[in-house]
């Protein structure tokens, strides 16, 4: 479904798997061209070393490329299935403070997805993310492989993130 940036920000911020891990959507950029996310270090997501649990970091990065591409393609009239196909993470430094990341979708990224959908009916590509602490130090890098596929005729819409 097509929703506004503000509606989706609040829906995801209150979505229990994100809320209880203290993952907060700070802002969706205009036209779903990006998102700013904060992961707060809390007693609910802290490991025995006092840093943010790796699973929380992984969960925080999981849905956003798929959500952004889904909203962008819907606005362009595409009827697609969109989901995260695979992901990998590299932990570089303990997340002892809150962590932050920003994702931006460029015109070139959208054009590449559109071309693949028009020519092949599907698009698969990995995109990087970098997570920083409040001091600007790089703490983790993530690669998310996004999968978009045109819906088959008669296929019912389901949300899969």
């Amino acid at each position: 479904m097509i929703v506004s940036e503000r509606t989706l920000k609040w829906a995801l911020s209150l979505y229990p798997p994100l809320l209880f891990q203290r993952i907060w959507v700070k802002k969706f950029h205009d036209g779903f061209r990006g998102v700013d996310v904060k992961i707060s270090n809390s007693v609910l997501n802290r490991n025995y070393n006092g840093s943010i649990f790796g699973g929380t970091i992984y969960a925080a990065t999981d849905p956003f490329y798929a959500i952004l591409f889904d909203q962008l393609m819907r606005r362009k009239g595409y009827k697609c299935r969109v989901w995260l196909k695979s992901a990998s993470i590299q932990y570089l430094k303990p997340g002892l403070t809150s962590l932050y990341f920003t994702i931006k979708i460029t015109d070139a990224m959208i054009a590449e997805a559109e071309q693949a959908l028009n020519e092949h009916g599907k698009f698969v590509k990995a995109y990087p993310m970098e997570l920083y602490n409040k001091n600007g130090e790089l703490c983790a890098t993530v690669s998310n492989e996004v999968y978009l596929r045109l819906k088959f005729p008669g296929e019912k819409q389901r949300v899969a993130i």
Side-chain angles (χ1 to χ4, degrees), residues 11-25 59-60 63-64:
L12 287 175
S13 293
L14 298 174
Y15 181 53
L18 300 183
L19 176 66
F20 293 128
Q21 292 190 73
R22 301 303 188 241
I23 300 164
W24 186 253
V25 179
F64 294 104

Side-chain angles (χ1 to χ4, degrees), residues 5-159:
E5 294 89 342
R6 183 181 170 111
T7 299
L8 192 54
K9 171 200 181 307
W10 285 104
L12 287 175
S13 293
L14 298 174
Y15 181 53
L18 300 183
L19 176 66
F20 293 128
Q21 292 190 73
R22 301 303 188 241
I23 300 164
W24 186 253
V25 179
K26 293 181 67 166
K27 174 185 168 186
F28 277 104
H29 301 185
D30 289 338
F32 287 98
R33 290 306 197 101
V35 65
D36 300 324
V37 179
K38 175 184 179 182
I39 310 166
S40 297
N41 186 327
S42 158
V43 69
L44 297 176
N45 65 7
R46 194 175 295 145
N47 65 24
Y48 68 92
N49 290 318
S51 64
I52 297 173
F53 174 62
T56 297
I57 296 169
Y58 204 81
T61 62
D62 180 279
F64 294 104
Y65 271 113
I67 288 170
L68 293 172
F69 271 104
D70 180 62
Q71 289 298 311
L72 287 165
M73 292 297 115
R74 285 176 187 270
R75 284 166 170 71
K76 290 186 162 282
Y78 288 90
K79 294 179 180 174
C80 296
R81 290 264 188 232
V82 182
W83 64 84
L84 180 67
K85 185 175 179 185
S86 68
S88 64
I89 190 165
Q90 189 170 36
Y91 303 104
L92 306 171
K93 186 174 189 140
L96 297 172
T97 68
S98 295
L99 297 178
Y100 305 85
F101 68 92
T102 296
I103 296 173
K104 293 183 182 176
I105 305 291
T106 66
D107 289 336
M109 292 164 71
I110 296 167
E112 184 180 21
E114 281 188 283
Q115 181 180 358
L117 287 171
N118 292 333
E119 291 177 8
H120 308 291
K122 71 177 184 176
F123 172 72
V124 181
K125 183 158 184 180
Y127 293 102
M129 284 183 259
E130 296 180 333
L131 288 86
Y132 295 90
N133 64 18
K134 70 177 186 178
N135 298 321
E137 300 168 313
L138 182 62
C139 293
T141 59
V142 178
S143 178
N144 281 0
E145 187 176 34
V146 179
Y147 180 94
L148 287 79
R149 170 184 61 77
L150 293 177
K151 286 177 44 178
F152 301 123
E155 184 175 359
K156 293 185 178 170
Q157 182 61 37
R158 289 191 323 224
V159 176

